[in-house]
Amino acid sequence: MNMKRIQLIGVMLLAVAATAAQPVRAASTLSIRLVQTTPGPDSSPELADVLPALRRTLAAQGFRLRTTRQIPLPARQQVALADAITVRCEGDARNLEIRVFRDNTQLAHTRVNLKGGAPLILGGFQADDGSRLLVVFVAR
Amino acid sequence: MKQREPDNPFRTAEREALRTPEPEPDHAFWQRFAARAAARVPAAPARRARAGILLAWPPPLRQGLAAACAFLLLAGGGLFWALRPAAARAGSMIEFLSIDAAHDGIFILEDAGQQAVVVWIDERRS
């Protein structure tokens, strides 16, 4: 095999390695959505990006968007959603601390590493009407 | 004008020693030439054999082998990437979780399609 071929293969392998090693851009915005399960299959169109994941993993098939909030990352703020649910976020996407409250009572506390565009769904909290509430976090 | 000295025995011997030999006849020269040309030339691949067994292969075989090696390398990398642990593949990861609400169970699910992580708390509310 001549040297040019060896060099060409080497360059191709380096290009593949460089592509795989591209640094991931840090997310700058956190989207927080409060979602309520519904008995029917109808869902809010604003949830189209997470609907497949919700339907694949949860028993409910209908989801209604209650509130949407966007906060900058890194975050250090408390966001009021609906149904007396409040979320407190601290940190950047790679080390984000999330606390969920209802009527100022803490329901859940978690620390997550959020990948850009990959949703974190935290829920199962009971609403007054017996349906379930869940909070969808997406870092972008 | 300078007279030539008569030869002495030493000069005669020297002249004899330096005398150009008589050229051989033409037919004898060409006979030797034809004999050398007709002799078998020894095979020359000694250099190739020393360079390595792969270089002794025909070029299409060597190129095929190189392509196969490159393909195997890339396929191996792809396989490693696809089969790496789920924790490394997952989009978002939960590093800590504490539930304060009264509940009947907690489920942590991963949706590979969207790289979503679902924490489902089966809250029990009185």
Side-chain angles (χ1 to χ4, degrees), chain B residues 10-21:
Chain B
F10 297 107
R11 188 171 294 273
T12 304
E14 185 184 16
R15 191 171 289 127
E16 282 298 317
L18 295 177
R19 196 159 61 93
T20 307

Short mmCIF file of all heavy atoms in Angstrom, two decimals, chain B residues 10-21:
data_model
loop_
_atom_site.label_atom_id
_atom_site.label_comp_id
_atom_site.label_asym_id
_atom_site.label_seq_id
_atom_site.Cartn_x
_atom_site.Cartn_y
_atom_site.Cartn_z
N PHE B 10 66.79 -4.73 -19.97
CA PHE B 10 65.66 -4.30 -19.08
C PHE B 10 64.56 -3.62 -19.87
O PHE B 10 63.37 -3.86 -19.68
CB PHE B 10 66.19 -3.36 -17.99
CG PHE B 10 67.17 -4.04 -17.09
CD1 PHE B 10 68.52 -3.72 -17.17
CD2 PHE B 10 66.76 -5.00 -16.19
CE1 PHE B 10 69.44 -4.35 -16.34
CE2 PHE B 10 67.67 -5.62 -15.37
CZ PHE B 10 69.01 -5.31 -15.43
N ARG B 11 64.93 -2.72 -20.75
CA ARG B 11 63.93 -2.00 -21.55
C ARG B 11 63.16 -2.97 -22.44
O ARG B 11 61.93 -2.84 -22.60
CB ARG B 11 64.64 -0.94 -22.38
CG ARG B 11 63.68 0.01 -23.08
CD ARG B 11 64.40 1.16 -23.71
NE ARG B 11 65.02 2.03 -22.74
CZ ARG B 11 64.39 3.06 -22.15
NH1 ARG B 11 63.13 3.28 -22.43
NH2 ARG B 11 65.02 3.81 -21.29
N THR B 12 63.87 -3.92 -22.96
CA THR B 12 63.19 -4.90 -23.82
C THR B 12 62.15 -5.68 -23.01
O THR B 12 61.00 -5.87 -23.44
CB THR B 12 64.22 -5.89 -24.39
OG1 THR B 12 65.22 -5.14 -25.07
CG2 THR B 12 63.55 -6.83 -25.39
N ALA B 13 62.54 -6.07 -21.81
CA ALA B 13 61.60 -6.83 -20.96
C ALA B 13 60.38 -5.98 -20.60
O ALA B 13 59.24 -6.45 -20.58
CB ALA B 13 62.32 -7.29 -19.70
N GLU B 14 60.65 -4.72 -20.32
CA GLU B 14 59.53 -3.81 -19.96
C GLU B 14 58.57 -3.65 -21.13
O GLU B 14 57.35 -3.70 -20.98
CB GLU B 14 60.12 -2.46 -19.56
CG GLU B 14 59.09 -1.49 -19.06
CD GLU B 14 59.69 -0.12 -18.78
OE1 GLU B 14 60.81 0.15 -19.25
OE2 GLU B 14 59.03 0.67 -18.10
N ARG B 15 59.13 -3.49 -22.29
CA ARG B 15 58.31 -3.30 -23.49
C ARG B 15 57.47 -4.56 -23.74
O ARG B 15 56.28 -4.46 -24.08
CB ARG B 15 59.21 -2.99 -24.69
CG ARG B 15 58.41 -2.54 -25.90
CD ARG B 15 59.31 -2.02 -27.01
NE ARG B 15 59.89 -0.74 -26.65
CZ ARG B 15 61.20 -0.46 -26.68
NH1 ARG B 15 62.05 -1.39 -27.02
NH2 ARG B 15 61.63 0.72 -26.36
N GLU B 16 58.02 -5.66 -23.48
CA GLU B 16 57.30 -6.92 -23.67
C GLU B 16 56.12 -7.04 -22.69
O GLU B 16 55.03 -7.47 -23.04
CB GLU B 16 58.25 -8.12 -23.46
CG GLU B 16 59.16 -8.41 -24.64
CD GLU B 16 58.38 -8.78 -25.88
OE1 GLU B 16 57.40 -9.58 -25.74
OE2 GLU B 16 58.68 -8.25 -26.96
N ALA B 17 56.42 -6.57 -21.45
CA ALA B 17 55.38 -6.68 -20.41
C ALA B 17 54.20 -5.76 -20.69
O ALA B 17 53.05 -6.07 -20.38
CB ALA B 17 55.98 -6.37 -19.05
N LEU B 18 54.49 -4.61 -21.24
CA LEU B 18 53.44 -3.61 -21.46
C LEU B 18 52.78 -3.76 -22.82
O LEU B 18 51.89 -2.98 -23.16
CB LEU B 18 54.03 -2.21 -21.33
CG LEU B 18 54.53 -1.84 -19.93
CD1 LEU B 18 55.16 -0.46 -19.94
CD2 LEU B 18 53.39 -1.87 -18.93
N ARG B 19 53.16 -4.68 -23.56
CA ARG B 19 52.63 -4.82 -24.93
C ARG B 19 51.14 -5.17 -24.89
O ARG B 19 50.70 -6.01 -24.10
CB ARG B 19 53.41 -5.93 -25.65
CG ARG B 19 53.23 -5.94 -27.16
CD ARG B 19 54.40 -6.69 -27.78
NE ARG B 19 54.46 -8.07 -27.33
CZ ARG B 19 53.88 -9.07 -28.00
NH1 ARG B 19 53.25 -8.85 -29.11
NH2 ARG B 19 53.98 -10.30 -27.55
N THR B 20 50.35 -4.50 -25.67
CA THR B 20 48.90 -4.77 -25.77
C THR B 20 48.72 -6.17 -26.32
O THR B 20 49.34 -6.52 -27.34
CB THR B 20 48.24 -3.76 -26.72
OG1 THR B 20 48.60 -2.46 -26.28
CG2 THR B 20 46.74 -3.92 -26.73
N PRO B 21 47.82 -6.96 -25.66
CA PRO B 21 47.62 -8.31 -26.17
C PRO B 21 46.92 -8.28 -27.54
O PRO B 21 46.20 -7.34 -27.84
CB PRO B 21 46.74 -8.96 -25.11
CG PRO B 21 46.08 -7.84 -24.41
CD PRO B 21 47.02 -6.68 -24.47
#
